[in-house]
């Protein structure tokens, strides 16, 4: 038996769940496919943490999802950047802009669970298939999907939200440009003695950036980038040595610290799909693009994709149009691919300039930060570009 849907989302991570929440009120027959349970069990946090920028909050509000995220998210009211070893500093406060938070710190697992719970509470939630996508075929009017448990779905549009290794992207024959940075990000959460004052602290170091992201309570998320071998060695040294090194690297600003999550390590690379669409198929989130975490953009880019696609699908629903129409898909690709390409180049450039031992780059880096610090209009412009992806 083949089940029929208008839109099937493959992948129920952050991007797939957010898109499902945005589409749930539009009247489509929706399906969501992911091998993990619809609401993940409440296990120990894996250490990853995310900064959700202002435009992400606005899109979440538009689709009624923000009320589920707000209690778990800590407003970011100030950003302090320090460059090493040059010592240049850059400080931006929300009062310099419009007095509203730049971003919100949230844990990776908490975000996923909150999105899943919000979706489970919706009246028109998608039919959920706890399975892997395995096969893809094409008819003029539908895409036929085969799942790993043998079930088959026919859908007028299939959306790939299945992450960096996207099976859907591979099955559709969409090619990928990808490269590695030879770095890994160590991620964990600490509980600490001194308040974080809702401030993001970022150290730009030749080995890689290190950031403290405020979380609710006296807790902060750490994203600490090192060359891959150094990251492995740091994690292997164990909790005491890791926290000692963290205190030294962060000038002891949080006081006494203790671990409040597992310690994870993620190899870093960037990638970009050459196409975001194919007949009756679209890619969003990490399935379409992956960036270095230096600028905290990855999921925020996904939400900008979702805003564009969900907006186009809402118009199609009102006009009674086909959700997999070629014009709709091409407009989506045109709106998002170039915008994401620029973000990929920007984060790539920043990482190459700031994560480099080259002596000649040192005065360039310090000079650039001092120039931005001395020019408030430029500082405000950079802050706006970082917090607005739409
Ligand atoms: C250290 C680190 C720090 C980061 N910091 C930030 C930050 O501050 N701000 C920010 O915006 N972003 C940040 N990011 C990026 C962010 O975590 C990702 O962009 C985001 O989580 C991607 O979500 P996704 O749903 O697109 O992909 P994923 O989270 O990879 O989800 C993919 C889903 O697809 C499912 N799936 C896979 N294969 C199949 C299949 N065959 N069939 C069905 N389902 C399948 C998986 O089970 C999974 O649920 C960071 C990333 C890292 C590693």
């Amino acid at each position: 038996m083949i089940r029929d849907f208008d839109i099937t989302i493959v992948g129920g991570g952050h991007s797939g769940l957010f898109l499902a929440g945005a589409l749930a009120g539009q009247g489509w027959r929706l399906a969501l496919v992911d091998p993990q349970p619809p609401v993940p069990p409440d296990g120990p946090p894996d250490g990853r943490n995310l900064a959700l920028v202002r435009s992400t909050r606005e899109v979440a509000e538009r689709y009624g999802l923000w009320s589920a995220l707000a209690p778990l998210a800590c407003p970011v009211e100030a950003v302090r950047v320090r460059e090493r070893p040059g010592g240049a500093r850059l400080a931006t406060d929300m009062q310099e802009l419009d007095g509203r938070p730049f971003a919100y710190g949230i844990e990776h697992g908490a975000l996923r669970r909150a999105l899943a719970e919000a979706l489970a509470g919706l009246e028109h939630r998608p039919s959920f298939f706890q399975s892997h996508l395995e096969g893809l075929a094409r008819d003029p009017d539908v895409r036929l999907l085969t799942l790993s448990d043998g079930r088959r779905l026919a859908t007028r549009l299939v959306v790939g939200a299945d992450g960096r290794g996207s099976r859907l992207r591979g099955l559709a024959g969409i090619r990928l440009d990808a490269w590695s940075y030879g770095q890994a990000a160590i991620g964990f959460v600490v509980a600490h003695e001194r308040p974080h004052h809702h401030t993001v602290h970022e150290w730009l170091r030749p080995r890689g950036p290190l950031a403290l992201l405020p979380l609710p309570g006296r807790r902060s998320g750490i994203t600490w980038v090192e060359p891959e071998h150094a990251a492995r060695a740091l994690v292997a040294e164990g909790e005491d040595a890791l926290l000692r090194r963290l205190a030294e690297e962060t000038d002891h600003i949080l006081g006494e610290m203790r671990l409040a999550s597992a310690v994870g390590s993620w190899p870093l690379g960037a990638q970009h799909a050459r196409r975001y669409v194919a007949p009756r198929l679209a890619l969003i989130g990490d399935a379409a693009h992956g960036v270095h975490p230096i600028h905290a953009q990855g999921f925020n880019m996904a939400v900008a994709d979702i805003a564009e696609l969900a907006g186009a699908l809402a118009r199609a629903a009102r006009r009674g149009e086909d959700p997999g129409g070629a014009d709709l898909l091409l407009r989506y690709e045109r709106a998002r691919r170039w915008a994401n390409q620029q973000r990929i180049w920007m984060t790539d450039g920043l990482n190459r300039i700031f994560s480099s031992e080259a002596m000649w780059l040192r005065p360039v880096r310090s000079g650039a930060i001092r120039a931005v610090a001395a020019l408030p209009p430029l500082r405000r412009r950079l802050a706006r570009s970082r917090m607005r992806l739409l």
Side-chain angles (χ1 to χ4, degrees):
M1 191 185 88
I2 299 183
R3 299 269 310 266
D4 279 312
F5 293 97
D6 295 315
I7 303 171
T8 300
I9 302 166
V10 176
H14 296 143
S15 305
L17 291 168
F18 200 115
L19 178 67
L23 298 182
Q26 295 186 1
W28 305 109
R29 292 167 305 161
L30 283 180
L32 179 62
V33 180
D34 195 292
Q36 299 184 50
V39 178
D42 196 3
D46 73 358
R48 268 178 297 177
N49 48 90
L50 303 180
L52 306 179
V53 298
R54 179 118 32 106
S55 55
T56 292
R57 174 189 170 149
E58 288 165 4
V59 179
E61 278 172 340
R62 189 181 310 157
Y63 292 111
L65 296 169
W66 183 248
S67 55
L69 309 185
L72 308 165
C74 178
V76 174
E77 299 173 357
V79 179
R80 301 280 178 267
V81 179
R82 301 161 183 81
E83 179 262 335
R84 288 212 173 117
R89 286 165 175 252
L90 181 62
T92 318
D93 292 279
M94 67 178 187
Q95 283 75 16
E96 287 181 71
L97 281 102
D98 52 11
R100 291 190 291 137
F102 298 116
Y104 299 83
I106 192 165
E107 287 180 64
H108 188 273
L111 171 63
R112 181 164 183 171
R113 210 164 25 256
L115 287 170
E117 281 168 0
L119 194 63
L122 294 176
E123 191 187 342
H124 301 292
R125 59 184 173 274
S127 303
F128 184 74
F129 295 85
Q130 190 170 351
S131 194
H132 282 95
L133 171 75
E134 264 199 7
L136 176 73
R138 191 171 143 195
D139 252 19
D141 297 330
V142 287
R143 284 288 191 166
L144 292 165
L145 313 181
T146 308
L147 309 187
S148 50
D149 55 13
R151 287 182 287 184
R152 299 183 71 201
L153 316 181
T155 186
R156 295 204 284 163
L157 172 66
V158 57
V159 181
D162 49 345
R164 286 198 178 210
S166 173
R167 174 94 171 137
L168 183 68
R169 187 184 65 223
L171 289 168
I174 295 177
R175 291 172 62 195
L176 188 71
D177 294 314
W179 59 97
S180 159
Y181 290 112
Q183 295 171 310
I186 307 167
F188 54 98
V189 174
V190 290
H192 41 81
E193 178 195 8
R194 297 195 195 127
H196 50 49
H197 298 297
H198 297 264
T199 300
V200 162
H201 293 274
E202 195 169 7
W203 285 264
L204 297 171
R205 314 161 315 139
R207 294 196 312 279
L210 192 170
L212 307 182
L213 177 70
L215 295 172
R218 275 197 190 187
R219 294 179 320 126
S220 292
I222 315 297
T223 301
W224 181 350
V225 177
E226 289 281 341
E228 254 166 332
H229 59 91
R232 263 196 306 275
L234 250 175
V235 174
E237 276 180 32
E239 178 176 341
D240 290 346
L242 186 72
L243 291 179
R244 207 168 38 248
R245 281 282 304 279
L246 177 66
E248 287 161 15
E249 292 281 352
T250 58
D251 305 329
H252 301 270
I253 55 173
L254 295 176
E256 288 288 312
M257 294 184 279
R258 66 175 173 76
L259 267 184
S261 77
V263 178
S265 167
W266 292 267
L268 297 180
Q271 60 182 55
H272 205 194
R274 296 220 180 138
R275 299 296 312 261
Y276 281 14
V277 299
R280 298 195 172 279
L281 181 151
L283 302 178
I284 61 164
D286 277 19
H289 43 74
V291 290
H292 192 284
I294 189 167
H295 224 39
Q297 301 277 292
F299 178 60
N300 294 299
M301 288 159 67
V303 173
D305 300 343
I306 291 164
E308 185 65 37
L309 190 59
L313 287 166
R315 285 188 293 279
R318 279 196 299 275
R319 296 177 190 147
E321 290 171 3
D322 183 348
D327 288 351
L328 181 155
L329 294 178
L330 284 173
R331 272 200 303 276
Y332 162 68
E333 179 177 71
R334 246 181 260 130
R336 291 307 309 152
R337 195 173 181 285
W338 175 239
N340 287 332
Q341 183 66 67
Q342 293 175 66
R343 298 267 161 188
I344 292 170
W345 283 334
M346 181 184 69
T347 48
D348 184 76
L350 278 175
N351 186 52
R352 284 180 201 280
I353 291 169
F354 284 99
S355 303
S356 164
E357 303 280 1
M359 291 297 282
W360 68 271
L361 268 175
R362 289 186 177 184
V364 178
R365 287 196 292 244
S366 306
I369 293 207
R370 289 196 176 101
V372 175
L375 293 169
L378 181 57
R379 208 167 63 223
R380 285 196 290 272
R381 201 182 157 147
L382 287 176
R384 274 196 206 98
S385 127
R386 193 170 178 179
M387 69 189 191
R388 293 215 74 87
L389 280 82
L390 280 166

